[in-house]
Amino acid sequence: MIINNVCYGTYHSAKATADDVYIHTTSCDEWDMLDGEVYNVPDDINGWVKKLY
């Protein structure tokens, strides 16, 4: 998982990555500190929407 050009880990699947993002255990302190502060987030990767840039 890469955020702002920093690698926070490798995962065996997109679902595993999404699970860590959802439960705020990514090793990215800026995100993980928001645990309990982010609402209306899908709890399963199937509910996520891919953004194209």
Side-chain angles (χ1 to χ4, degrees):
M1 178 175 61
I2 298 173
I3 302 171
N4 295 328
N5 295 321
V6 176
C7 180
Y8 289 98
T10 58
Y11 293 82
H12 64 276
S13 71
K15 183 183 179 329
T17 308
D19 287 346
D20 274 3
V21 170
Y22 180 72
I23 62 173
H24 295 266
T25 57
T26 63
S27 297
C28 175
D29 293 336
E30 189 175 357
W31 173 253
D32 294 346
M33 290 178 6
L34 295 175
D35 188 20
E37 308 270 333
V38 182
Y39 303 99
N40 299 321
V41 178
D43 62 354
D44 184 86
I45 195 169
N46 293 318
W48 290 27
V49 177
K50 182 177 180 178
K51 284 187 144 184
L52 300 175
Y53 295 96

